[in-house]
Amino acid sequence: MKKIYELIAPCHFGLEAVLKKEITDLGYDIVQVEDGRVTFAGDEEAVCRANVFLRTAERILLKAGSFQAETFDQLFENTKALPWEEMIPRDGKFWVAKASSIKSKLFSPSDIQRIMKKAMVERLKTAYGVSVVAETGSSYPLRVFLYKDQVTVGIDTSGDSLHKRGYRTLTSRAPITETLAAALILLTPWKKDRILVDPFCGSGTFPIEAAMMAANMAPGMNRWFVAEDWDNLIGKKRWYDAMDEAGDLLEDTVEVDIQGYDIDGDIVRAARANAEAAGVGHLIHFQQRPVSALSHPKKYGFLITNPPYGERIEEKENLPGLYRELGERMRALDSWSSFIITAYENAERYIGRKADKNRKIYNGMMKTYFYQFMGPRPPMRNRSRDER
């Protein structure tokens, strides 16, 4: 009989609904949706498939337990009470990789990490009848969330964050993460038969993530996960099956019109190299071009971009002119829809148009806005079945 786990998938604040839909589409039942994470039910196969296929999750955690703790004594005893020997083998290496606390009496990450580690050691020493826990085997990193004194403990199955697809070795000055880019694309009505242009492509993340979606390329098919070494919980065959499924679904001969522009030639070359590393270089046209030269002969396209928003003081004085130029180009492409993520508070003012929708999203600790300027829908004969 398959063992069903609760799996926790953290994500960017404000994008929980996108991740929830991804998980549901993958075939798993949602248990709970909270700020910044979605919990769902799944077996060992789900651990593998979630890591390989989810585009917007930051990592996949196997929930070890949850409990109340207002004192360090309670934290120690409740941590010790969890059945760690069912999850961590005799020689397993384990540590609390990260602890976060919000509105809780216990708020020191280093103390939380130290006390929980000590409690786990005591439990496993007793369970395995040893005086010293060896920790010479596979790694089992933990992540702990405290919210209003409720402690949630998860074992990280991913290792490196899932935004690290393995293709982005060269980055621009202020890159957008792969998971955030994927989530923002999924918030738009863009489909692979429609044009997509990013006039501030930077390291190429938007065009690359769009091309991967168009090719039905699983984001995790070219990387390694820490849980691949967990022979006590997940059979190797499960990982092979997930990778085989990803390979069977791949359609990298799809015809698309995806373009990325940037004013910096070195950045364009880096974006092109990243796209090649991702396996989608043949699906994207990159070009050195300023935003003032943005144009396209076809109608009903999509502009999806992350323009500069003055990360450095000396850049701020250039922003009004830059956003004016962007607004002029958007008006010239009057049948297109435009989607812009920026922290620049005067974006709408200088673009010269109020967004049809405006969604607040946190990019790390930075509050940004996802402005959505909707163009007209194409005539029925030009629309794909998905849009009808």
Tab-separated table of all heavy atoms in Angstrom, residues 13 50 53 69 90 130 162 174 189 200 226 250 254 257 296 304 330 333 351 357 382:
chain	number	residue	atom	x	y	z
A	13	PHE	N	5.101	35.016	-2.642
A	13	PHE	CA	3.884	35.584	-2.071
A	13	PHE	C	3.045	36.225	-3.180
A	13	PHE	O	3.554	36.983	-3.995
A	13	PHE	CB	4.223	36.634	-1.013
A	13	PHE	CG	4.686	36.054	0.293
A	13	PHE	CD1	6.033	35.904	0.571
A	13	PHE	CD2	3.766	35.626	1.252
A	13	PHE	CE1	6.461	35.362	1.776
A	13	PHE	CE2	4.192	35.082	2.455
A	13	PHE	CZ	5.530	34.950	2.719
A	50	ALA	N	6.483	16.169	-8.726
A	50	ALA	CA	6.368	17.582	-8.333
A	50	ALA	C	7.696	18.297	-8.547
A	50	ALA	O	7.738	19.425	-9.058
A	50	ALA	CB	5.931	17.697	-6.882
A	53	PHE	N	8.196	18.519	-12.540
A	53	PHE	CA	7.232	19.195	-13.411
A	53	PHE	C	6.746	20.569	-12.947
A	53	PHE	O	6.324	21.366	-13.779
A	53	PHE	CB	6.010	18.299	-13.624
A	53	PHE	CG	6.277	17.130	-14.532
A	53	PHE	CD1	6.465	15.869	-13.992
A	53	PHE	CD2	6.357	17.281	-15.905
A	53	PHE	CE1	6.728	14.777	-14.816
A	53	PHE	CE2	6.614	16.202	-16.737
A	53	PHE	CZ	6.805	14.947	-16.192
A	69	ALA	N	4.552	25.554	19.960
A	69	ALA	CA	5.721	25.739	20.826
A	69	ALA	C	5.877	27.217	21.148
A	69	ALA	O	6.103	28.034	20.249
A	69	ALA	CB	6.989	25.204	20.156
A	90	ARG	N	19.676	5.283	9.762
A	90	ARG	CA	20.685	5.227	10.824
A	90	ARG	C	21.891	6.129	10.542
A	90	ARG	O	22.438	6.747	11.453
A	90	ARG	CB	21.146	3.774	11.001
A	90	ARG	CG	22.181	3.549	12.084
A	90	ARG	CD	22.616	2.104	12.103
A	90	ARG	NE	21.505	1.238	12.511
A	90	ARG	CZ	21.304	0.841	13.762
A	90	ARG	NH1	22.127	1.232	14.723
A	90	ARG	NH2	20.289	0.054	14.046
A	130	VAL	N	22.157	3.735	19.722
A	130	VAL	CA	23.565	4.117	19.546
A	130	VAL	C	23.893	5.281	20.469
A	130	VAL	O	23.002	6.007	20.925
A	130	VAL	CB	23.864	4.514	18.083
A	130	VAL	CG1	23.659	3.329	17.147
A	130	VAL	CG2	22.974	5.689	17.639
A	162	LEU	N	14.160	25.111	-6.650
A	162	LEU	CA	13.680	24.689	-7.963
A	162	LEU	C	13.805	25.774	-9.019
A	162	LEU	O	13.668	25.489	-10.212
A	162	LEU	CB	12.226	24.210	-7.862
A	162	LEU	CG	12.002	22.936	-7.035
A	162	LEU	CD1	10.525	22.562	-7.029
A	162	LEU	CD2	12.844	21.783	-7.561
A	174	ALA	N	20.015	42.551	-12.599
A	174	ALA	CA	18.880	42.341	-11.685
A	174	ALA	C	17.961	41.272	-12.267
A	174	ALA	O	16.873	41.572	-12.759
A	174	ALA	CB	18.124	43.653	-11.484
A	189	PRO	N	-2.819	35.307	-20.676
A	189	PRO	CA	-3.503	34.379	-21.592
A	189	PRO	C	-2.593	33.877	-22.722
A	189	PRO	O	-3.078	33.253	-23.665
A	189	PRO	CB	-4.641	35.227	-22.176
A	189	PRO	CG	-4.603	36.543	-21.487
A	189	PRO	CD	-3.256	36.690	-20.886
A	200	PHE	N	13.203	43.919	-22.676
A	200	PHE	CA	14.261	44.068	-21.671
A	200	PHE	C	14.633	42.660	-21.186
A	200	PHE	O	14.484	42.333	-20.016
A	200	PHE	CB	13.780	44.910	-20.487
A	200	PHE	CG	13.329	46.307	-20.846
A	200	PHE	CD1	11.984	46.585	-21.045
A	200	PHE	CD2	14.247	47.335	-20.978
A	200	PHE	CE1	11.555	47.867	-21.358
A	200	PHE	CE2	13.830	48.624	-21.290
A	200	PHE	CZ	12.480	48.895	-21.489
A	226	VAL	N	18.096	16.359	-4.096
A	226	VAL	CA	18.715	15.714	-2.943
A	226	VAL	C	18.004	14.407	-2.576
A	226	VAL	O	18.640	13.447	-2.117
A	226	VAL	CB	18.773	16.686	-1.744
A	226	VAL	CG1	17.385	16.956	-1.174
A	226	VAL	CG2	19.683	16.162	-0.649
A	250	LEU	N	8.072	15.837	-24.152
A	250	LEU	CA	8.832	16.929	-24.786
A	250	LEU	C	8.476	17.070	-26.270
A	250	LEU	O	8.408	16.091	-27.007
A	250	LEU	CB	10.333	16.648	-24.635
A	250	LEU	CG	11.299	17.693	-25.190
A	250	LEU	CD1	11.133	19.022	-24.468
A	250	LEU	CD2	12.731	17.201	-25.059
A	254	VAL	N	8.422	22.268	-31.815
A	254	VAL	CA	7.268	23.156	-31.941
A	254	VAL	C	7.676	24.454	-32.635
A	254	VAL	O	8.802	24.925	-32.503
A	254	VAL	CB	6.679	23.452	-30.539
A	254	VAL	CG1	7.675	24.206	-29.673
A	254	VAL	CG2	5.369	24.207	-30.635
A	257	ASP	N	7.014	31.914	-32.091
A	257	ASP	CA	7.608	33.223	-32.362
A	257	ASP	C	7.857	33.888	-31.010
A	257	ASP	O	7.000	34.594	-30.475
A	257	ASP	CB	6.676	34.074	-33.226
A	257	ASP	CG	7.334	35.369	-33.705
A	257	ASP	OD1	8.405	35.719	-33.164
A	257	ASP	OD2	6.774	36.023	-34.611
A	296	HIS	N	6.861	45.175	-34.425
A	296	HIS	CA	6.587	43.839	-34.950
A	296	HIS	C	5.476	43.957	-35.983
A	296	HIS	O	4.489	44.667	-35.750
A	296	HIS	CB	6.166	42.891	-33.823
A	296	HIS	CG	6.335	41.439	-34.166
A	296	HIS	ND1	5.533	40.789	-35.074
A	296	HIS	CD2	7.233	40.503	-33.732
A	296	HIS	CE1	5.912	39.526	-35.181
A	296	HIS	NE2	6.941	39.330	-34.378
A	304	ILE	N	5.840	40.747	-22.581
A	304	ILE	CA	5.996	40.355	-21.175
A	304	ILE	C	7.418	40.697	-20.768
A	304	ILE	O	8.373	40.201	-21.376
A	304	ILE	CB	5.728	38.849	-20.965
A	304	ILE	CG1	4.349	38.464	-21.506
A	304	ILE	CG2	5.850	38.482	-19.494
A	304	ILE	CD1	4.014	36.990	-21.393
A	330	MET	N	4.192	50.659	-26.903
A	330	MET	CA	2.964	49.921	-26.606
A	330	MET	C	1.790	50.503	-27.397
A	330	MET	O	0.934	49.765	-27.893
A	330	MET	CB	2.687	49.959	-25.100
A	330	MET	CG	3.619	49.081	-24.272
A	330	MET	SD	3.528	49.412	-22.483
A	330	MET	CE	1.781	49.112	-22.151
A	333	LEU	N	1.971	49.322	-30.913
A	333	LEU	CA	1.512	47.931	-31.002
A	333	LEU	C	0.117	47.855	-30.366
A	333	LEU	O	-0.097	47.178	-29.372
A	333	LEU	CB	2.497	47.006	-30.285
A	333	LEU	CG	3.911	46.938	-30.886
A	333	LEU	CD1	4.874	46.255	-29.923
A	333	LEU	CD2	3.891	46.209	-32.232
A	351	ILE	N	4.214	55.550	-18.681
A	351	ILE	CA	3.721	54.740	-19.795
A	351	ILE	C	2.560	55.461	-20.465
A	351	ILE	O	2.362	55.367	-21.681
A	351	ILE	CB	3.298	53.339	-19.297
A	351	ILE	CG1	4.553	52.501	-18.994
A	351	ILE	CG2	2.414	52.616	-20.313
A	351	ILE	CD1	4.267	51.175	-18.336
A	357	LYS	N	-5.356	45.714	-15.052
A	357	LYS	CA	-5.231	44.990	-13.793
A	357	LYS	C	-3.861	45.274	-13.210
A	357	LYS	O	-2.902	45.527	-13.933
A	357	LYS	CB	-5.398	43.476	-14.001
A	357	LYS	CG	-6.778	43.042	-14.428
A	357	LYS	CD	-6.846	41.519	-14.550
A	357	LYS	CE	-8.233	41.063	-14.992
A	357	LYS	NZ	-8.292	39.569	-15.131
A	382	ASN	N	-8.483	33.564	-36.072
A	382	ASN	CA	-7.068	33.594	-35.724
A	382	ASN	C	-6.794	33.079	-34.325
A	382	ASN	O	-5.658	33.033	-33.892
A	382	ASN	CB	-6.534	35.032	-35.824
A	382	ASN	CG	-6.479	35.506	-37.250
A	382	ASN	OD1	-6.365	34.714	-38.177
A	382	ASN	ND2	-6.598	36.822	-37.441
